[in-house]
């Protein structure tokens, strides 16, 4: 619908207000400038009125007040690394204008109590938090990996992100500072951070931004959690007929946690953990899924010390990641994790430029990255390549402390035939094995870009199987398998959380296949999504919908998430 003259004038005045809040250089309105923000990393895109990049918490607050007064939709966004379109528009059938508020400039982290907890502002990334904790021999709830490269801490909490660490569980806290809009359209700042910062919103935000508080201002309530302390007990219950963790778990929906963008979060307070030293990794290969089933059940029921991580890859996934995740592997290996954000920003600018040039080839940035990666020799260790040839299923088991000797003894007796084997990795082999596994998350996207003439799209599922499931390796019926060119299976094996990427042939209906695939997974008893935002890909569960409506009764924040209503007041 073409906007009226009055609407155009009102929007011009609104844009002027935004510029007054954050500076003209941080309000983007041209489609070419907003493209990288309004298009999801893997899924979803749509139109926006503006992208705003506040440089302080007070600026973020003032932008929200302006949006609420002008009746605009607010989409909160950090790194835009999500896989389900949860922080971007999806389509153009919204009933109000959309404003994306990018928090990338708000990177502050305040460590409290000698680093035993961290206060993270909206744009603080996991790798930044990890770097700050490293000198203190502590770690965040999750370490960089999979889709978490460049991801924000707050985004992880809001999206119920799972992480790969078996002992720590998904991102979760009941301590947060956030703003909500009530049913009358009034903006309210809620301080449940457990830190005395005053009563006036701008005074609170100014002190928090500056770190103007001491440990004496920090309150501790044993009944209020800053991490998922019960996860180890849950994951060990291998006879339970439910998943260990999944996005819609009603026990893990609390205010900002699991909010999926339905409030504006200014800060979260999270536990940190002692860094585990003396770690060892065992690389396991098997040709029968039953072998890995037995290993999983034996470890969870019998080991005194749970492994740190247990990452699974199927051989087909190994092969695609080796070719199409190679440049990601090499960039992190040679330039460090921080390089990924700079490379992604350069790729986004190059793609935006190419989009304005009719003669420019499609997916130029991906093609260049693929060519550069091909210039380097094989990056994977010889023993891994040998196992790739011999075994269909690959499991990387990282252990520490007493768990090292437990794993050595167990694997020496549990594996002893041609069907399965294991070797103890050197430090270099361990680093490369996990980096290869983590590079798999983007490999399907790269494959689609390079082979776009033959690929329709990717159906990317994120499922949690029941803890008592023994048949974890799916067998697709012929009608589901026929449209698929390649399948990529990888995941967090002890947690029974799997990422399953299906590369769909050109000419096939990817959306229809996705719906049939979800129905098939439901028949298996799987819950989805397991650890990502429902985004615009999955339907929110009953408890999630109630959570969203309670947080955002006017439906001003991220409407349509989880296939819910996009209309004001959930009409």
């Amino acid at each position: 619908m073409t906007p009226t003259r009055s609407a155009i004038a009102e929007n011009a005045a609104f844009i002027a207000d935004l510029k007054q809040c954050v500076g003209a250089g941080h309000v983007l309105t041209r489609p070419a400038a907003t493209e990288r923000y309004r298009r999801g990393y893997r899924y979803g895109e749509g139109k926006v009125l503006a992208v705003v990049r506040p440089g302080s918490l007070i600026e973020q607050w003032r932008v929200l007040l302006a949006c609420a007064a002008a009746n605009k939709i607010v989409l909160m966004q950090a790194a835009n690394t999500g896989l389900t379109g949860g922080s971007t528009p999806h389509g153009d059938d919204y009933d109000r204008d959309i404003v994306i508020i990018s928090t990338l400039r708000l990177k502050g982290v305040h460590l409290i109590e000698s680093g035993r907890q961290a206060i993270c502002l909206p744009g603080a990334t996991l790798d930044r938090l990890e770097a700050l904790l490293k000198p203190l021999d502590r770690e965040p709830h999750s370490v960089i990996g999979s889709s978490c490269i460049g991801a924000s801490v707050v985004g992880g909490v809001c999206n119920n992100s799972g992480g790969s660490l078996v002992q720590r569980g998904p991102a979760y806290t009941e301590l947060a500072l956030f703003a909500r809009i009530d049913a009358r359209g009034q903006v309210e700042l809620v301080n449940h951070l457990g830190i005395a910062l005053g009563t006036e919103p701008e005074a609170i935000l100014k002190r928090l931004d500056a770190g103007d508080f001491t440990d004496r201002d920090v309150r501790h309530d044993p009944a209020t959690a800053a991490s998922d302390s019960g996860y180890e007990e849950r994951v060990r219950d291998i006879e339970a007929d439910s998943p260990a963790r999944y996005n819609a778990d009603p026990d893990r929906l609390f205010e900002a946690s699991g909010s999926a963008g339905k409030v504006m979060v200014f800060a979260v307070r999270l536990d940190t953990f002692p860094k585990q030293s003396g770690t060892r990794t065992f690389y396991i290969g098997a040709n029968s899924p039953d072998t890995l089933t037995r290993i999983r059940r034996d470890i969870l029921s019998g080991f005194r010390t749970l492994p740190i991580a247990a990452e699974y890859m199927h051989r087909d996934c190994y092969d695609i990641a080796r070719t199409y995740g190679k440049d990601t592997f090499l960039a992190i290996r040679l330039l460090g994790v921080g390089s990924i954000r700079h490379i992604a920003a350069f790729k986004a600018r190059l793609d935006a430029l190419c989009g304005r040039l009719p003669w420019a080839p499609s997916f130029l940035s991906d093609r260049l990255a693929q060519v550069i990666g091909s210039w380097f020799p094989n990056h994977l260790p010889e023993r891994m390549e040998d196992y790739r040839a011999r075994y269909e299923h690959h499991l990387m088991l990282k252990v520490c402390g007493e768990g090292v000797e437990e794993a050595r003894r167990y694997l020496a007796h549990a594996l002893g035939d041609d069907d399965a084997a294991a070797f103890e990795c050197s430090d270099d082999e361990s680093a490369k094995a996990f980096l290869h596994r983590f590079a798999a998350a983007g490999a399907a996207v790269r494959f689609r870009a390079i082979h776009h003439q033959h690929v329709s799209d990717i159906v990317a599922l994120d499922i949690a199987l029941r803890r008592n499931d023994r048949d974890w390796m799916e067998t697709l019926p012929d009608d589901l398998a026929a449209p698929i060119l390649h399948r990529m299976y990888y995941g967090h094996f002890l947690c029974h959380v799997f990422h399953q990427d299906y590369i769909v042939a050109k000419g096939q209906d990817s959306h229809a296949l996705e719906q049939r695939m979800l129905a098939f997974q439901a028949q298996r008893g799987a819950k989805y999504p397991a650890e990502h935002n429902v985004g615009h890909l999955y339907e929110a569960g009953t408890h999630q919908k109630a959570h969203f409506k309670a947080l955002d009764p006017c439906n001003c924040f991220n409407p349509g998430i989880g296939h819910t209503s996009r209309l004001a007041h959930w009409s």
Side-chain angles (χ1 to χ4, degrees):
M1 184 173 62
T2 303
T4 63
R5 286 185 178 181
S6 62
I8 293 172
E10 288 172 2
N11 280 342
F14 171 67
I15 295 297
D17 289 343
L18 295 181
K19 291 178 178 179
Q20 188 69 30
C21 290
V22 302
H26 295 293
V27 178
L28 311 178
T29 56
R30 293 184 301 105
T34 62
E35 182 177 9
R36 61 176 290 204
Y37 300 91
R38 57 184 172 81
R39 173 177 292 176
Y41 168 68
R42 183 182 278 183
Y43 184 83
E45 65 178 296
K47 294 179 181 178
V48 299
L49 178 63
V51 173
V52 188
R53 305 184 300 188
S56 70
L57 297 183
I58 288 179
E59 288 184 0
Q60 182 178 328
W61 169 255
R62 290 173 179 171
V63 169
L64 176 59
L65 293 178
C67 289
N71 192 30
K72 305 302 184 186
I73 289 170
V74 173
L75 262 63
M76 298 302 300
Q77 184 185 100
N80 195 16
T81 58
L83 304 182
T84 61
S87 59
T88 59
H90 185 66
D92 299 318
D93 56 340
Y94 294 86
D95 64 341
R96 293 150 288 166
D97 295 319
I98 296 173
V99 175
I100 292 177
I101 301 179
S102 169
T103 62
L104 290 178
R105 299 174 65 206
L106 306 173
K107 300 180 182 298
V109 175
H110 305 301
L111 301 182
I112 60 177
E113 299 185 325
S114 301
R116 287 191 291 274
Q117 288 188 328
I119 311 295
C120 296
L121 303 192
T125 57
L126 272 170
D127 61 315
R128 172 170 166 74
L129 177 57
E130 189 176 7
L132 291 173
L133 291 172
K134 188 174 182 179
L136 305 176
D137 287 327
R138 299 189 72 82
E139 293 179 332
H141 75 278
S142 180
V143 294
I144 295 301
S146 189
S147 60
C148 295
I149 295 170
S152 71
V153 177
V154 168
V157 171
C158 294
N159 296 339
N160 295 92
S161 295
S164 62
L165 301 183
V166 181
Q167 299 172 5
R168 299 178 193 171
Y172 179 76
T173 186
E174 296 168 1
L175 299 165
L177 176 68
F178 61 94
R180 62 188 299 271
I181 301 178
D182 65 20
R184 299 169 301 151
Q186 300 299 306
V187 182
E188 174 190 14
L189 185 67
V190 180
N191 183 5
H192 289 169
L193 203 56
I195 302 177
L197 295 166
T199 57
E200 293 300 317
E202 292 205 0
I204 291 171
L205 296 170
K206 183 177 180 180
R207 287 187 63 188
L208 181 60
D209 222 346
D212 181 19
F213 55 89
T214 68
D215 284 353
R216 286 178 297 180
D217 298 312
V218 179
R219 298 189 300 271
H220 292 278
D221 180 354
T224 305
S227 60
D228 185 0
S229 59
Y231 187 69
E232 180 170 339
E233 182 180 351
R234 290 205 310 278
V235 78
R236 281 187 180 275
D237 187 359
I238 58 175
E239 300 304 335
D241 194 37
S242 61
R245 56 179 169 92
Y246 61 103
N247 189 273
D249 184 349
D251 292 333
R252 292 298 173 270
L253 299 174
F254 186 89
E255 295 181 344
S257 291
S259 60
K262 299 302 287 182
V263 292
M264 174 180 280
V265 179
F266 290 92
V268 294
R269 176 176 160 190
L270 290 162
D271 288 331
T272 69
F273 302 86
K275 187 175 183 178
Q276 293 156 312
S277 58
T279 63
R280 303 300 297 172
T281 296
F282 296 87
Y283 196 99
I284 302 166
N287 283 319
S288 170
D290 294 340
T291 301
L292 294 192
T293 298
R294 173 168 52 85
I295 291 173
R296 173 182 175 271
R297 293 177 65 85
D298 288 348
I299 288 174
L300 291 176
S301 62
F303 274 34
R304 290 173 57 87
T305 303
L306 273 184
I308 297 170
E311 293 297 294
Y312 168 78
M313 289 183 79
H314 187 271
R315 178 161 52 196
D316 293 345
C317 179
Y318 181 110
D319 289 345
I320 291 177
R322 177 174 53 184
T323 301
Y324 299 95
K326 185 178 180 180
D327 62 296
T328 298
F329 178 106
L330 292 172
I332 297 173
R333 181 80 174 172
L334 300 176
L335 304 175
V337 170
S339 66
I340 296 299
R341 290 195 304 278
H342 300 299
I343 292 171
F346 171 77
K347 287 174 83 273
R349 287 194 293 269
L350 180 59
D351 288 339
L353 174 63
C354 291
R356 298 194 295 271
L357 302 174
W359 49 264
S362 302
F363 305 103
L364 179 60
S365 67
D366 283 292
R367 292 184 183 189
L368 287 175
Q370 194 65 23
V371 169
I372 292 171
S374 69
W375 292 343
F376 291 81
N378 186 9
H379 55 295
L380 298 178
E382 185 176 341
R383 288 200 288 182
M384 281 177 58
E385 293 285 74
D386 175 58
Y387 269 45
R388 180 265 158 220
R390 293 166 56 190
Y391 301 110
E392 182 178 355
H393 305 284
H394 297 244
L395 180 64
M396 290 143 270
L397 193 68
K398 181 178 283 190
V399 293
C400 69
E402 295 179 359
V404 175
E405 197 53 43
E406 276 187 301
R408 282 191 186 122
R409 288 196 304 268
Y410 172 78
L411 293 173
H413 294 91
L415 306 177
D417 54 39
D418 292 336
D419 183 65
F423 66 84
E424 187 170 341
C425 296
S426 67
D427 290 343
D428 184 63
E429 287 174 324
S430 174
K432 289 181 176 179
F434 278 96
L435 188 50
H436 179 54
R437 153 64 185 89
F438 295 146
V445 177
R446 172 60 55 75
F447 186 100
R448 177 181 61 185
I450 300 300
H451 301 286
H452 62 94
Q453 303 97 328
H454 308 291
V455 175
S456 170
D457 207 343
I458 302 166
V459 172
L461 301 187
D462 165 36
I463 68 169
L465 298 182
R466 296 167 295 192
R467 284 166 281 176
N468 62 358
D469 271 326
R470 294 174 183 263
D471 298 325
W472 54 272
M473 189 66 193
E474 70 180 14
T475 302
L476 293 178
D478 291 342
D479 64 318
L480 284 181
I484 299 171
L485 294 174
H486 298 283
R487 309 176 209 174
M488 294 180 64
Y489 297 119
Y490 54 104
H492 316 304
F493 192 68
L494 296 187
C495 306
H496 253 196
V497 167
F498 293 92
H499 305 293
Q500 304 185 170
D501 295 345
Y502 307 93
I503 300 174
V504 184
K506 200 75 168 180
Q508 300 292 333
D509 187 338
S510 299
H511 179 71
L513 177 63
E514 173 190 281
Q515 298 308 306
R516 291 161 55 209
M517 193 70 75
L518 289 174
F520 173 74
Q521 301 299 341
Q523 290 176 357
R524 298 178 67 198
K527 295 286 188 181
Y528 46 80
E531 60 180 12
H532 296 153
N533 191 323
V534 288
H536 295 282
L537 183 61
Y538 300 96
E539 182 173 356
T542 301
H543 293 287
Q544 279 180 304
K545 290 177 181 177
H547 185 53
F548 295 163
K549 289 184 178 181
L551 292 174
D552 183 21
C554 71
N555 206 18
C556 300
F557 291 103
N558 211 3
I561 198 78
H563 296 183
T564 58
S565 171
R566 299 177 182 227
L567 304 179
H569 297 276
W570 305 85
S571 298

